Amino acid sequence: MKQISILLPYKENFSPLYAGAVSLYVKDTTLKSIYKKQIRVFGNTHYKNIFKLSYTNLNVKKNLLSSGTKHYVDEFLKYQQIYKSDIIEIHNRPIYLKYIQKKSSAKIVLYFHNDPLTMSGSKTLEDRYFLLDYASKIIFNSHWSRRRFLE
């Protein structure tokens, strides 16, 4: 049985209160998935009321001297040692792939919900070649965002 982990953007609230577009997309697609029992969502929210799915809150302490993104991904990777996911979905944060691919053998699926040319990790042509090499799949929410990625 394949295990699937979904890593939300760091500041995405996986809660019915103030949910972002990515959280709503993940909730809706997970509820309709035939694999919903094998899916675990990882994120960072301060709200107690979260969507009724398998969810793990990653508590990241802020540190002015180091990257919050790196700490967030490191916390996620600690859980990956326990859950051993076969597939990791990264939503809207291509920079996460650089950290995860070094420490995980899982297949990585990268979702773009916004303009790839404005995100850390996919701004340059070199960044996008890296993503093409290391992501098992790249999924775009629109033809427009796919065209932007290919520019």
Side-chain angles (χ1 to χ4, degrees):
M1 190 75 62
K2 295 226 184 261
Q3 294 298 316
I4 302 167
S5 291
I6 299 175
L7 182 59
L8 297 173
Y10 175 64
K11 293 183 179 180
E12 187 77 18
N13 287 312
F14 198 66
S15 167
L17 300 170
Y18 307 110
V22 174
S23 288
L24 294 172
Y25 176 85
V26 167
K27 175 197 63 106
D28 291 344
T29 56
T30 300
L31 287 173
K32 292 179 192 244
S33 174
I34 61 173
Y35 302 105
K36 67 180 150 220
K37 291 182 180 172
Q38 288 81 40
I39 296 173
R40 176 170 290 278
V41 179
F42 292 85
N44 177 354
T45 187
H46 301 290
Y47 294 100
K48 302 284 186 236
N49 184 16
I50 59 168
F51 290 119
K52 305 290 186 244
L53 293 169
S54 183
Y55 176 79
T56 299
N57 199 50
L58 301 172
N59 295 313
V60 179
K61 295 178 181 127
K62 292 193 178 194
N63 184 343
L64 296 174
L65 301 175
S66 60
S67 167
T69 296
K70 180 121 175 49
H71 283 298
Y72 181 64
V73 173
D74 286 344
E75 279 298 307
F76 171 73
L77 289 168
K78 286 179 189 175
Y79 281 96
Q80 288 308 296
Q81 292 174 352
I82 299 165
Y83 292 109
K84 306 267 191 242
S85 295
D86 300 293
I87 299 170
I88 297 172
E89 288 184 12
I90 300 171
H91 285 264
N92 232 23
R93 293 297 182 269
I95 193 72
Y96 293 176
L97 190 134
K98 287 186 179 184
Y99 301 124
I100 293 171
Q101 64 88 22
K102 293 176 185 174
K103 297 183 179 180
S104 175
S105 61
K107 290 183 178 182
I108 299 175
V109 178
L110 179 61
Y111 283 78
F112 281 99
H113 299 267
N114 298 97
D115 183 358
L117 300 183
T118 63
M119 293 182 208
S120 292
S122 64
K123 288 180 180 180
T124 69
L125 192 57
E126 183 178 285
D127 288 340
R128 295 191 301 278
Y129 275 125
F130 173 84
L131 297 175
L132 289 168
D133 285 340
Y134 287 100
S136 296
K137 297 278 185 204
I138 300 176
I139 299 171
F140 301 92
N141 74 336
S142 69
H143 292 294
W144 179 85
S145 63
R146 180 174 49 98
R147 280 193 304 272
R148 290 285 287 166
F149 182 86
L150 296 172
E151 279 184 13

